[in-house]
Amino acid sequence: MDNLISIPLLIFLPMFLSFFVLSPLFTSNETTIRRFVKTFCSIHFLYSILALVLYSPAKSYISQIHFFGLDWIQALGIKFVFEIDSIRLILIILTSFIFFLASLASKRVIRKNHKIYYSMFLLLMSAILGIFSANDMFVFFLFWELELIPAYFLIGGDYGKEYNDNAKKSAIKFVLFTFLGSMFMLLGILLLHFYNYTTTGILSATFNDIFTASLPVGMQLFISIMFLIGFGVKLPIIPLHTWLPDAHTNAPTPISMVLAGVLLKTGAYGIFRFNYEMLPEAFKIIAPILAILALINIIYTAFVAYAQTDIKRIVAYSSISNMGLILLGLCAYNQLGVSASVFHMVAHGLVTCGLFMICGIVYQRFKTRNINELTGIASVMPRLFAFALLIVLASIGVPLFAPFISEILTIMSAFFSELSLVLKFCSVFALPLLILSSCYMLKFLHLSFYGEQKSGLENIDDISTHEFLILISIVVGLILFGIFPNGILGVI
Amino acid sequence: MIHDFYNIFLPQSCLILFILIELVMSFFTNIKKYNLARPISAFGICIAVLLLTSVQTEPQYFGFFNSVMSDNYTLLFHFMILLCGFFVVLLSKNIDQKLKKSGYMFQALLLTAILGGMCVVSANDFITLFVSLEVLSFSTYFLIASTKDYFSKEASFKYLITTAVSTGVFLFGVSYLYGVSGSLDLNEIYEIVINKPHSMLFSFSGILIVLGLIAKLALFPFANWVIDVYKGTETSVLAYLSTIPKLALFGIICRMIVFPLGRTVELTFVLCFIALITALWANTYAIREKNVKAIFACSSAANASYVMLTASLVSVYNLSTVIFYLVSYVIINICAFSFLNIVESNNLGFNLDKFKGLFKTNFGISIAYVISILALAGFPLTSGFVAKIYLFSAIAHSGLIFIPFLLILLILTVVALFYYLKLILPIFENIDEVKNFKCAFSQSFVLYITAIITVLIGLYPEKLIELCRFIAYNI
């Protein structure tokens, strides 16, 4: 049965299909392309669920691609090795699911340039899956860079109504920021690779072959900081976050869903994989500082989010705030912290995905995202209001929803951390500060959905079937993991 | 003597033969109907490539009283020079139509330049090196000026002045080296120097020699010519200018650094410094440029500086990365310039705004162009990514002192990404005006074949890296 799951197929099939879609061989009929991608994404999701069903922790999926019987680059010991362990499996399923939702959400939004859009969509999917499953530092870096090309086109491209001139600027900003971060990361990878080679004599860049115990702590710290800059751009950690609100606001709705839902998680995953696992000594030293940065992330962006008038910007800042919570969980440096972080990645991925979907629906119907101009949506679109209420409640951490459990677990893990008192301090402060999230989320809900209905908006349709499908699956997911958190925690 | 001729000089003599044929043909310019200039030189280069198999490489062969040598290293560089020459010949269709009668002269000059480049790589003493360098540069002056308009003449003159000055510096260094070692033969110099205590004069002469050589690579003290020359030059000549002199010069510089000159720490640091300044200058200059050719000029200077930095940190591992970088870089460059060549033959001009909307109308060629630019910027799935990682790994492996250098280079690649993006982004814009490109078979052939090679090396670099390592470790 294990042979059913092939990791290369999982990762590279979207890439091949993306080139296929882009090529002139494929039809340029809009509906056909969309249905093709939609079907593919749903099959991909089912396939990754199958991988979960067949998975057992004792035996993780490992596969190596040989190029005519050789490693990829032997001079540097780079191998195309992929491994799926429990954390990666969860993230891969999350990726697959959110891409499926995004492919559904593309229906009314994408009006132009379908070929570029859908092929880049699949390429981005492939790159993110590659990031999550690569087991070699250079291959990880390859996918990390590869993701920039589709991300640029998806954020900055002109796909119809939501497009404005700022999109291109924010896409360039995103690419330059991430590229800068990834260059620091490359330096870290090269140094780690070199020192591992000189101390152990193994010419390999595979995660399992890196032994940093004999590295001097100063060097470990330097490498660790290089990695943190790289991942901190993506996560984002506060001074490096300025690309995020622009990119998320100007991207089309499905792409905002993907960016906030999955792309940010690659940064957290990278910190876990590189800093936490491979450079533990340095991470123990950095963790308290990082925890304070995480706390700043939570507080500062919460206040900024409260001040925003654009609903998409509110959601964007709220996701920075939540990423701070994920970072705090990793900083705790214990088993509970890791599982809580991964759980929060999933929970927040679903929540933010839903919130961006709601923003997209609202913008599509009302042609504005300004919170002061929106009022009384609830009376026009009661079904949307129901979903918005549920998702907003989930996002502020109401019991029975998944974020409640993950937030509590994260803060508990930081409190029980044995690293330093700073972590306890941070956890004590983070708990009341979570109330801030209810401030801005409820402001969003209150100002836009409640209130008197504006005149002239009577003819607005409530949510359509595919939008209903997206929102209901998100809500079901949130409630499912809220009642039954062992579904994820058990796997980890 | 005749043995030497058979063993190592057949490809070069084949080129000489075809140069003569072109020159003879240029007398019969009345036969206008069939312009045979390009087919003849393409044929000649093909024959020369075939004759490369006759060259004896193992063990190293020294011929013509030790003035010319051949081994796998020179063989690879000869092959690359001939390959680039072949592509340039294919691309020279535009200029051929412009020149009409003097097309034969152009091809003869091009073949002479290729011959000069090959001789530079295989030179084993400084007299041969000097003569071959002059062959290379003199034909380059005329190639640049071949369109005979104002800008190309200006460009040619600038190139002439810079190269003349640098040649003076080079000769000055050689004279010092002769004073130190009493020989002009690279091997003899190596043997004399290795037994002598380190002398300042020797380092000084080494620095002067390399300084004299790097003018053609557009590195720092002699970098100013590059933008004006690139702006004024025809694209097929540019495809030549950005590949063959680079291959030839880096070929000889790397070998000299590994062999006699590299024993001095001073040279390493001077070259690192030069490379760093060039990288800073070229990358920052390109940000504000609007002319495509000028951006390519900056990019070529920047890439040369990365290679120079790595080459100056003497080790065979570094040498293998340098060879790999050069091979992938020239192919990428040919790809980009063949796109510009197509643009030129459609009289579009080289302002960035003119490229708008190309993606819709010309899917194939714009994809190939995007691949080349992404490869220059070092994105994955192209050879540029592998070359970048491999080259930078060499710097990282050279020691802690060079980490700041590496960090600066890495940050500069982000700056470089900015202007590379500027080169490709207009292509994807939507405009109403639809312009369909006409491109000749030879042009699109070069464009697609180089793009395919770029992607193939990016996907499967192992064989080429193995080859580069084999060559570098056996030098």
Side-chain angles (χ1 to χ4, degrees), chain B residues 84-102:
Chain B
C84 293
F86 181 69
F87 286 143
V88 173
V89 168
L90 288 186
L91 289 180
S92 59
K93 191 180 177 190
N94 299 339
I95 200 160
D96 218 29
Q97 284 165 346
K98 251 183 240 169
L99 294 176
K100 289 190 184 96
K101 280 185 184 175
S102 44

Side-chain angles (χ1 to χ4, degrees), chain B residues 141-364:
Chain B
Y141 307 144
F142 295 118
L143 281 177
I144 294 174
S146 56
T147 43
K148 292 175 193 159
D149 57 10
Y150 175 78
F151 290 108
S152 68
K153 279 180 200 161
E154 184 194 339
S156 171
F157 193 66
K158 273 185 179 147
Y159 190 71
L160 170 72
I161 299 288
T162 325
T163 328
V165 171
S166 72
T167 311
V169 176
F170 169 72
L171 282 180
F172 191 49
V174 173
S175 69
Y176 269 119
L177 191 62
Y178 187 68
V180 174
S181 60
S183 167
L184 286 172
D185 187 308
L186 281 175
N187 291 0
E188 279 178 26
I189 292 172
Y190 181 65
E191 273 160 26
I192 292 163
V193 166
I194 206 166
N195 297 323
K196 264 190 180 179
H198 173 76
S199 78
M200 203 58 208
L201 201 58
F202 175 67
S203 315
F204 184 61
S205 68
I207 291 170
L208 283 181
I209 289 172
V210 178
L211 272 185
L213 289 177
I214 60 179
K216 290 188 192 59
L217 303 170
L219 289 177
F220 161 61
F222 305 108
N224 290 330
W225 60 271
V226 68
I227 290 169
D228 290 333
V229 169
Y230 269 56
K231 270 184 187 169
T233 312
E234 211 265 352
T235 45
S236 56
V237 181
L238 270 190
Y240 153 77
L241 194 61
S242 68
T243 52
I244 293 175
K246 273 216 171 91
L247 281 170
L249 268 298
F250 269 121
I252 190 69
I253 288 177
C254 290
R255 201 147 57 84
M256 286 206 303
I257 286 176
V258 172
F259 259 131
L261 303 182
R263 312 199 59 78
T264 59
V265 187
E266 291 87 354
L267 179 66
T268 304
F269 276 95
V270 166
L271 286 184
C272 279
F273 182 67
I274 285 173
L276 212 57
I277 299 234
T278 316
L280 275 169
W281 168 79
N283 284 320
T284 41
Y285 193 93
I287 295 176
R288 293 192 62 188
E289 266 302 332
K290 282 238 160 63
N291 187 309
V292 181
K293 279 179 172 175
I295 294 179
F296 272 105
C298 294
S299 136
S300 93
N303 278 296
S305 70
Y306 305 154
V307 177
M308 197 66 245
L309 182 59
T310 318
S312 65
L313 316 174
V314 192
S315 80
V316 281
Y317 178 73
N318 290 8
L319 185 61
S320 74
T321 67
V322 163
I323 299 170
F324 184 82
Y325 196 91
L326 280 176
V327 169
S328 53
Y329 171 74
V330 291
I331 296 206
I332 298 166
N333 236 8
I334 294 263
C335 183
F337 279 114
S338 58
F339 173 80
L340 292 190
N341 195 266
I342 293 171
V343 171
E344 192 178 55
S345 61
N346 286 285
N347 296 323
L348 212 61
F350 290 102
N351 201 314
L352 277 173
D353 299 335
K354 298 286 169 58
F355 289 2
K356 276 182 186 168
L358 270 186
F359 186 74
K360 279 241 162 108
T361 51
N362 299 276
F363 179 78

